[in-house]
Amino acid sequence: MVQAQSGLVNVDSLSTEFAYEIRYATPNNFIGEILYDCPNCLLQQEVAEALLKANQYFCEKGYRIKLYDCYRPLSIQKKMWAKVPRPTYVANPYGKGSIHNKGAAVDITLVTLDDCFVDMGSDYDFFGRESHIDNFNFSAEILANRKLLREGMKKFGFGTVRTEWWHYSYRKNWSYPTLNEPLKCE
């Protein structure tokens, strides 16, 4: 069932401590074209509040969350699937869809408090073994960075998927409706 995005909040309205690089609002993504009209990060209220707590946790450790993607309209999911119909990396919009379509998942990384890069071993949306969380063929530094991100997010109710170190779904993700409203860009 697809519903309106009335329950979604803009993360930017809750905190200015996040870093942003909403890739689908730029052509710098695996599709190579702009998919979003604006670089907003919308989430379910409960998910946004958990993410805010996670970010505060990371800030105390000298990092902050950089957001790559949040809510994604189902119509955008269909465009992605049409280009890359690989369920290992792109959720099938004609099945259960993506947790992003519910406003209950984020694609993130960490940066230092002064916005310096934190190496996670691959770029965001890299579709290959280097992005898998069960790939341990990295330096101790990269493995520690991934562990910090994963364990920090887990403390606040977020879980991973095996093939994407950057993807975190909130624990109650399937309880939210699938949405197909365009991003609020005011």
Side-chain angles (χ1 to χ4, degrees):
M1 178 165 170
V2 178
Q3 296 183 357
Q5 69 183 31
S6 57
L8 300 181
V9 297
N10 192 328
V11 171
D12 196 36
S13 70
L14 300 177
S15 173
T16 58
E17 293 179 343
F18 291 97
Y20 293 86
E21 187 182 342
I22 305 297
R23 291 266 184 105
Y24 302 129
T26 75
N28 181 19
N29 59 61
F30 75 95
I31 301 291
E33 60 188 66
I34 296 171
L35 298 170
Y36 294 173
D37 293 334
C38 58
N40 288 346
C41 174
L42 305 177
L43 293 171
Q44 297 289 340
Q45 179 77 38
E46 182 179 22
V47 179
E49 289 170 3
L51 187 67
L52 180 60
K53 289 176 185 171
N55 198 45
Q56 290 166 344
Y57 167 83
F58 289 122
C59 285
E60 290 170 7
K61 296 189 169 300
Y63 302 92
R64 65 185 181 146
I65 293 173
K66 182 177 192 176
L67 295 154
Y68 288 126
D69 195 23
C70 301
Y71 163 67
R72 179 186 311 146
L74 186 62
S75 59
I76 302 297
Q77 192 71 32
K78 289 177 180 178
K79 285 183 181 180
M80 291 175 168
W81 181 257
K83 295 271 187 173
V84 182
R86 291 179 61 195
T88 307
Y89 299 107
V90 179
N92 182 345
Y94 302 102
K96 293 182 178 180
S98 171
I99 305 302
H100 287 286
N101 307 143
K102 298 172 176 294
V106 290
D107 290 345
I108 62 172
T109 192
L110 294 176
V111 293
T112 64
L113 292 176
D114 20 339
D115 287 326
C116 292
F117 173 77
V118 174
D119 194 352
M120 295 292 179
S122 79
D123 194 10
Y124 165 67
D125 264 357
F126 174 79
F127 296 159
R129 181 86 177 108
E130 291 87 345
S131 67
H132 296 196
I133 65 170
D134 58 357
N135 180 359
F136 301 105
N137 190 24
F138 291 108
S139 69
E141 177 187 2
I142 290 170
L143 293 173
N145 292 343
R146 286 185 174 196
K147 181 179 179 184
L148 173 67
L149 179 61
R150 186 176 58 255
E151 290 181 354
M153 293 300 285
K154 185 177 180 181
K155 288 179 186 288
F156 300 95
F158 292 89
T160 59
V161 295
R162 186 185 65 79
T163 58
E164 300 176 351
W165 61 260
W166 56 81
H167 178 94
Y168 289 88
S169 296
Y170 192 62
R171 66 177 164 244
K172 293 171 56 178
N173 54 56
W174 290 111
S175 67
Y176 301 110
T178 297
L179 306 170
N180 193 32
E181 296 297 313
L183 290 170
K184 296 176 185 174
C185 295
E186 60 272 346

